[in-house]
Each structure stands twice: as structure tokens, then as C-alpha cells.
Amino acid sequence: MKPLAALTGGTGFLGRHTIRALHDEGWNVRILARRTPDLPELSDLTCEVVKGDLNNVAALNALCDCAHAVIHIAGVVKAPNAAAFIAANAQGAANVAAAWRAAAPGAHFVHVSSMAAREPHLSHYAASKRAGEDAIKGTGEWRILRPGAIYGAHDEETLKVLKLANMPVQVMLNAAEARVGMIDVRDAARMIAAAAGSRDPGAVHELVDARREGYRWAELAKTSAVALGKTPRAVRLPGLVLKTVGLAGRALAGITGSAEMLTPGKVREILHPDWSADRSLPAPEDLPRATIPLADGLADMVAWARKSGRL
């Protein structure tokens, strides 16, 4: 009999890739969703769906019931204010953890967080991701995975950055020596699926590709340009300009009540000089290594974006 993985965030960018990776690893998958998902790229797979959200205790208990692993991916990357971030990323994680302990206490809990959690002072998002990590710690076997910058097919947020590289002038957003850890979503999904079946209680690991030291912005710009078949002129955007744009984003969120992506907090995240893998955290030896080079992954993302009319 196949083991059962209970998954939140299954309809999102990383979640849908994780569903396929879990199936490839021999798991049955049960997901939490507000409505019946429409995911044509997964039409060849079978998933049990529990309708509900992160605030529905009955739905969360049904999701976790008899599961062998619980994987929590759901969360938000943009929200109108700090309270909304905490409600989604911290309280949401606490609610899932409570259901895990109540309905499947013997299951392994994999909490997919973010590298931003190691710098909670930078933004409301980063603080909420750290609070989410703290919320799941306690009894039971839990493990925290912090992916770097994830990119790939169905990633609408990174696509916005890729579109910048498609312009005649290519904008670089940080200092020359700043570094960013990257990982293709397919590699991240394989690691998460492997973590569901490999217990390392209390571990915190960061997920990046083979370049654990990360990439400088100039290298990211050049690799993106090659993937797009472009040779644009690279221009570094001064930090002051980016901060001004971030203030405008916060003002717009305050006026409209909408969740704007580029806020002062997000600008502080962008301008942070080191998002390479944390050298104080061990590499996850029990998980598969990332195998997709940045150039290949970005080329695949460009092909998806063009095929789907997004680029």
C-alpha cells in the first residue's frame, strides 16, 4: 500500500510541482484546496481533494487523517499589512501543525519556509515566515526546508523579473557583490518529496542548486539574457530609486487595501547583500542534489512562458 502525503499549497507554483514529485516517489497525495483545482498539467495524476482553507479546523483534520507525512507549503508572498502576513504564514502554519498533532501524530511534518526567515527584521513577510517556523516547533517529528529563489514554469512572480531582462535595457536590482541562491522548482519539489520520506527531526536546511555560494546579479542578468536570446545593455538601478518605488507601493497598498509586491520591506529583501546558502547550516545529505543548471532552468522557463503566451 502506498504511503499518504497530506499537502497544503498544492494548487500553487511550488505545490503543483511537488504533487508530481510525490507521485514519482510512490506516494498517494491528498491536498487542501478552497475549490476543485483546475491543473491540466497534472491531469494524468490522481489526487484526493479536501475542500477548505488554513482556518478550517475540520478540513485540516480531514487532510491530515491517517497521513504518513504532512507537507505545509501554503502561504502568501504579498499582503496588505503585517497582520495579514502573520495570519497567513504564521497562524496558518500553527493551524496545520495543530491538525497534524491531533490527526496524525506519528506522521513526519515538513514545513516549507523561506530563506527570508533567517532575516526576520527585513520585512513583514520575513518576520511572518520566521514566526511560521516557530509555530510548528514542539512535539513530533518536524523538519524545516528554506528554499532560495525558486523559478520555473507557472511562476508568475519570477516571470515579472524575467520580463525586465527582455527589455532593451536590463535592470539589475542590487550591488555588484550581492549574491542570490537559486533553485529550479523541479529540483526543489524533488527535495521536498524526498524529505517526506526521510526523517531528520528538528533539522533546518536551505535548498539551493549546485552553486551554494549563489549568483551575482550581473551573472543572473547575463544568464537570463542568453535564455531569452537577447543582448541587452545592463544598467544597475540605484538603491535609492528602488526604495522610492517601494514607498510608492506601500502608499498604494494603504490607499487601495490591495497586496502590493514591491514595498519597503520587499526592497530591503532585494537589497540584502547575501542570500547565498547559510554556511552555518549543513547541506541536507539525505536529500537528492539539485541537478538543473541555472541556464537550463531559465531556458525551460522561457520556453514555457512563450508557449503559454506570457512572454
Side-chain angles (χ1 to χ4, degrees), residues 41-92:
E41 67 276 16
L42 299 178
S43 60
D44 59 316
L45 304 179
T46 300
C47 286
E48 181 183 351
V49 178
V50 174
K51 291 188 178 180
D53 58 32
L54 297 181
N55 295 313
N56 187 323
V57 174
L60 289 175
N61 284 337
L63 174 74
C64 295
D65 185 44
C66 296
H68 299 87
V70 177
I71 305 170
H72 179 49
I73 297 177
V76 299
V77 296
K78 57 183 180 181
N81 51 51
F85 272 118
I86 289 294
N89 294 338
Q91 189 57 52

Side-chain angles (χ1 to χ4, degrees), residues 13 17 149-163 182-186 223-224 227-228 292-311:
F13 162 52
H17 287 275
I150 308 175
Y151 64 92
H154 306 286
D155 180 11
E156 300 294 344
E157 296 302 331
T158 302
L159 182 60
K160 296 173 184 176
V161 178
L162 197 59
K163 286 180 177 179
M182 305 290 292
I183 186 165
D184 187 285
V185 67
R186 294 165 292 185
T223 307
S224 298
L228 289 159
I292 303 172
L294 179 66
D296 293 349
L298 286 178
D300 288 346
M301 184 176 180
V302 167
W304 160 77
R306 286 178 171 155
K307 183 178 180 180
S308 61
R310 288 172 168 84
L311 192 64

Side-chain angles (χ1 to χ4, degrees), residues 41-280:
E41 67 276 16
L42 299 178
S43 60
D44 59 316
L45 304 179
T46 300
C47 286
E48 181 183 351
V49 178
V50 174
K51 291 188 178 180
D53 58 32
L54 297 181
N55 295 313
N56 187 323
V57 174
L60 289 175
N61 284 337
L63 174 74
C64 295
D65 185 44
C66 296
H68 299 87
V70 177
I71 305 170
H72 179 49
I73 297 177
V76 299
V77 296
K78 57 183 180 181
N81 51 51
F85 272 118
I86 289 294
N89 294 338
Q91 189 57 52
N95 292 346
V96 178
W100 156 56
R101 292 187 174 106
H108 184 42
F109 191 95
V110 179
H111 178 62
V112 182
S113 182
S114 166
M115 271 193 189
R118 75 187 194 205
E119 304 289 347
H121 61 284
L122 288 178
S123 65
H124 296 322
Y125 169 74
S128 71
K129 296 305 284 187
R130 173 63 73 84
E133 292 184 0
D134 293 341
I136 65 99
K137 295 176 180 178
T139 59
E141 292 193 358
W142 53 266
R143 183 179 195 173
I144 293 170
L145 302 179
R146 294 174 176 171
I150 308 175
Y151 64 92
H154 306 286
D155 180 11
E156 300 294 344
E157 296 302 331
T158 302
L159 182 60
K160 296 173 184 176
V161 178
L162 197 59
K163 286 180 177 179
L164 291 176
N166 203 34
M167 299 171 64
V169 174
Q170 191 172 27
V171 178
M172 290 185 289
L173 302 178
N174 205 335
E177 297 304 311
R179 291 183 174 275
V180 181
M182 305 290 292
I183 186 165
D184 187 285
V185 67
R186 294 165 292 185
D187 277 333
R190 287 192 306 111
M191 292 178 179
I192 294 167
S198 179
R199 301 192 174 204
D200 192 356
V204 178
H205 292 302
E206 294 188 339
L207 307 184
V208 294
D209 66 13
R211 287 277 297 274
R212 293 188 64 79
E213 69 275 18
Y215 300 85
R216 291 189 174 92
W217 278 87
E219 188 175 6
L220 288 173
K222 182 178 180 180
T223 307
S224 298
V226 171
L228 289 159
K230 300 281 186 177
T231 54
R233 181 168 62 92
V235 174
R236 194 170 301 282
L237 188 67
L240 181 59
V241 174
L242 196 58
K243 289 176 182 178
T244 301
V245 175
L247 288 171
R250 180 172 64 186
L252 184 60
I255 293 169
T256 65
S258 63
E260 300 299 323
M261 189 65 184
L262 196 57
T263 61
K266 182 55 67 176
V267 169
R268 287 191 293 272
E269 291 177 32
I270 292 171
L271 295 178
H272 185 66
D274 188 9
W275 289 118
S276 60
D278 188 340
R279 295 168 184 79
S280 69

